[in-house]
Amino acid sequence: MASSIRPASRILARASRASPFSLEPTTLIRTRTLARTTVNTQTAAACTLNNGTTTIAHRAFSTSRAHLKKSPTMGQLKARNSTGPFSWKSALLFVLTGGGMIIYFRVEKERLERKRIAEMSKGVGKPKVGGPFTLKDLDGKEFTAEDLKGKYSFVYFGFTHCPDICPDELDKMAEIIDKVNEATGGEKIFLPVFITCDPVRDTPEVLREYLKEFHPGIIGLTGTYDQVRNVCKQYRVYFSTPRDIKPGEDYLVDHSIYFYLMDPDNDFVECIGRQDTPESATRTIMEHINDWKREGKPLKKD
């Protein structure tokens, strides 16, 4: 009896598995797939808005070329590799900037060197070259070291009976005066001065006639023997003129052959010698004048 019941239960189980109701899960899967296909189709179809305008719905994922980043061409890649990270404009700017900095530092170094030399020419409390003095100009008026302040002065020591050196140096002085006046635009900040080392023979009248043959802008100064001797000592000029001279007596005069450039504070800054040409002397003088202006210091222009 029990054996007959077992086959019967197996037959019923097989029948239940083959029943139409067992296809429900497969049907649901097919229905979901169909629904997804329908939704995707509807997203690409035309949709009608409330105002009657028809638009095309965009897909969620588009492969249109408008949305793709344009890749560089081979020509652009070659051009980029050939020029590297720098262009010719940046290279030119780099060269110009570097050249400008080199020139600036070179000019600044030369200026500081000139300033250092000028400072070395000053003593503690008083300058080594130049100092207080009292003389007379060609009109008989008193002229002191204070009258040199405010301008760059160019001082030369000589005498009218000098056979060759003084005339040559005064010719050079005349050229320097004209060149400096031209370079400064006629500002009248340059004061050329001639101080005689022979006060006995170089009276104001003699000096006036002598200096006008070279340049009308040269200021002539003379004085007593002691006054001339003192100013030569202040400027460290060799002075060999004898003190007691008899009328008509012939004698020799020896002196240093230099031009002394003094700044507007009446401090010594440069010596111009016989080896200098009018061009090199003018260049040196203008370097000091421009240094003074660059520092914003005042200059007397009357």
Side-chain angles (χ1 to χ4, degrees), residues 16 43 46 48 86 122 130 170 192 203 279:
S16 62
T43 56
T48 304
F86 297 103
K122 300 178 183 180
L170 286 175
T203 62
E279 291 75 18

Side-chain angles (χ1 to χ4, degrees), residues 196-272:
T196 181
C197 295
D198 187 9
V200 175
R201 292 182 294 194
D202 291 346
T203 62
E205 293 76 15
V206 173
L207 275 179
R208 182 180 289 107
E209 293 297 321
Y210 181 75
L211 293 177
K212 73 179 183 179
E213 296 180 3
F214 299 97
H215 199 285
I218 301 176
I219 296 175
L221 298 179
T222 187
T224 64
Y225 179 89
D226 289 333
Q227 288 175 333
V228 172
R229 187 170 182 269
N230 173 65
V231 69
C232 288
K233 181 180 179 181
Q234 296 290 346
Y235 280 82
R236 306 299 187 263
V237 173
Y238 177 66
F239 180 71
S240 65
T241 306
R243 176 184 290 274
D244 299 323
I245 304 296
K246 296 179 181 179
E249 182 181 354
D250 192 15
Y251 56 92
L252 298 176
V253 176
D254 196 8
H255 60 89
S256 303
I257 309 171
Y258 289 106
F259 292 97
Y260 299 90
L261 181 64
M262 315 295 290
D263 68 15
D265 289 334
N266 201 24
D267 290 329
F268 170 79
V269 292
E270 195 79 35
C271 232
I272 305 297

Side-chain angles (χ1 to χ4, degrees), residues 85-106:
F86 297 103
S87 65
W88 67 269
K89 291 183 179 180
S90 61
L92 179 61
L93 179 61
F94 176 78
V95 171
L96 292 177
T97 303
M101 293 181 64
I102 291 174
I103 294 173
Y104 170 77
F105 284 116
R106 181 178 298 174

Side-chain angles (χ1 to χ4, degrees), residues 118-119 121-123 125-131 145 148-153 235 260-270 288 292 297:
E119 291 295 330
S121 301
K122 300 178 183 180
K126 67 182 248 181
K128 293 182 179 180
V129 178
L148 297 178
K149 290 187 175 181
K151 300 183 178 183
Y152 269 88
S153 55
Y235 280 82
Y260 299 90
L261 181 64
M262 315 295 290
D263 68 15
D265 289 334
N266 201 24
D267 290 329
F268 170 79
V269 292
E270 195 79 35
H288 287 286
W292 187 274
K297 297 181 180 179

